[in-house]
Amino acid sequence: AQSVAQPEDQVNVAEGNPLTVKCTYSVSGNPYLFWYVQYPNRGLQFLLKYITGDNLVKGSYGFEAEFNKSQTSFHLKKPSALVSDSALYFCAVRDNTDKLIFGTGTRLQVFP
Amino acid sequence: DSGVTQTPKHLITATGQRVTLRCSPRSGDLSVYWYQQSLDQGLQFLIQYYNGEERAKGNILERFSAQQFPDLHSELNLSSLELGDSALYFCASSVDAGGYGYTFGSGTRLTVV
């Protein structure tokens, strides 16, 4: 069965520093991968997706993600973190019935 | 505003009761997905409808049911409520059934007391 794993419950980073939020996946066939962000008391917002093509995907708010087939990873990155990036981040994979399966989420805390 | 409307935003009810959560998808979207978000279980897929028909079912309890109406809005019915049903319930929509990405509503926070 398709699944994603987010190994870190929380990531702490200082403002201005680069950030990485990790995601690994397990799929049969070609993966369709997604990142979503959830701010407090809000629904999930789409950040970016990988369907095919370039391994480096650029998304909203300056985020990007790198698809690595050999390591089965799809880590979310940003060169310079902002305090306003503090939120809950979810990685997701499309399963074989075309619905999204979400990871457990990683809380990103950016300190001033 | 994402274009996906969920009502009500908050709901407090007693154990044993029944509630209905409503979702209006983004204009033009044919698929509606329901997810439950609880603190200890993350985002759990409940059910998907595409153009009025049930397309996929996840870990949805028998006490829960859903439907999608001809105008494409959807309702999630939760009955015989238990304390453990307290959670955020999200609706998402997409233009097709292909899972190329969803638009989420802001959720309904259900508290069972």
Side-chain angles (χ1 to χ4, degrees):
Chain A
Q2 276 81 346
S3 64
V4 290
Q6 294 182 244
E8 302 155 317
D9 289 337
Q10 180 153 330
V11 169
N12 299 318
V13 64
E15 188 174 31
N17 283 1
L19 69 87
T20 299
V21 182
K22 295 180 180 177
C23 173
T24 58
Y25 65 89
S26 174
V27 302
S28 54
N30 294 322
Y32 286 15
L33 297 160
F34 304 80
W35 276 102
Y36 283 82
V37 60
Q38 184 180 25
Y39 297 100
N41 301 314
R42 302 285 296 276
L44 278 71
Q45 296 178 32
F46 172 79
L47 279 179
L48 52 79
K49 66 181 175 186
Y50 173 83
I51 304 296
T52 187
D54 289 341
N55 290 340
L56 187 63
V57 180
K58 293 191 182 297
S60 306
Y61 313 121
F63 284 93
E64 57 190 26
E66 186 171 9
F67 172 69
N68 188 316
K69 189 172 184 178
S70 63
Q71 297 185 4
T72 61
S73 67
F74 188 58
H75 300 332
L76 182 70
K77 300 182 179 185
K78 188 173 182 181
S80 179
L82 300 172
V83 172
S84 57
D85 292 330
S86 299
L88 189 56
Y89 290 80
F90 288 94
C91 180
V93 65
R94 191 182 81 167
D95 78 355
N96 55 7
T97 63
D98 298 336
K99 64 181 183 293
L100 297 191
I101 305 298
F102 288 86
T104 51
T106 299
R107 186 164 301 282
L108 173 66
Q109 189 71 47
V110 181
F111 295 95
Chain B
D1 181 8
S2 69
V4 179
T5 303
Q6 288 189 249
T7 56
K9 292 192 182 305
H10 302 277
L11 200 49
I12 301 175
T13 190
T15 54
Q17 295 299 304
R18 172 189 168 95
V19 297
T20 297
L21 312 183
R22 182 187 169 101
C23 169
S24 294
R26 198 178 53 166
S27 179
D29 286 357
L30 299 178
S31 272
V32 169
Y33 308 79
W34 286 97
Y35 283 81
Q36 179 192 55
Q37 184 181 30
S38 54
L39 282 175
D40 58 345
Q41 296 230 352
L43 268 168
Q44 298 292 314
F45 169 74
L46 295 177
I47 198 163
Q48 177 200 358
Y49 282 85
Y50 176 73
N51 204 20
E53 299 290 328
E54 182 184 305
R55 180 173 171 85
K57 214 167 191 176
N59 299 321
I60 186 166
L61 299 171
E62 286 190 9
R63 301 183 284 108
F64 296 1
S65 65
Q67 55 183 326
Q68 187 179 28
F69 294 86
D71 67 352
L72 301 178
H73 91 272
S74 178
E75 293 181 357
L76 178 66
N77 300 296
L78 315 176
S79 61
S80 302
L81 285 168
E82 302 175 359
L83 295 178
D85 297 327
S86 296
L88 263 172
Y89 290 84
F90 285 109
C91 166
S93 71
S94 65
V95 66
D96 56 18
Y100 294 104
Y102 302 163
T103 301
F104 277 84
S106 56
T108 294
R109 181 173 294 281
L110 173 67
T111 304
V112 182
V113 297

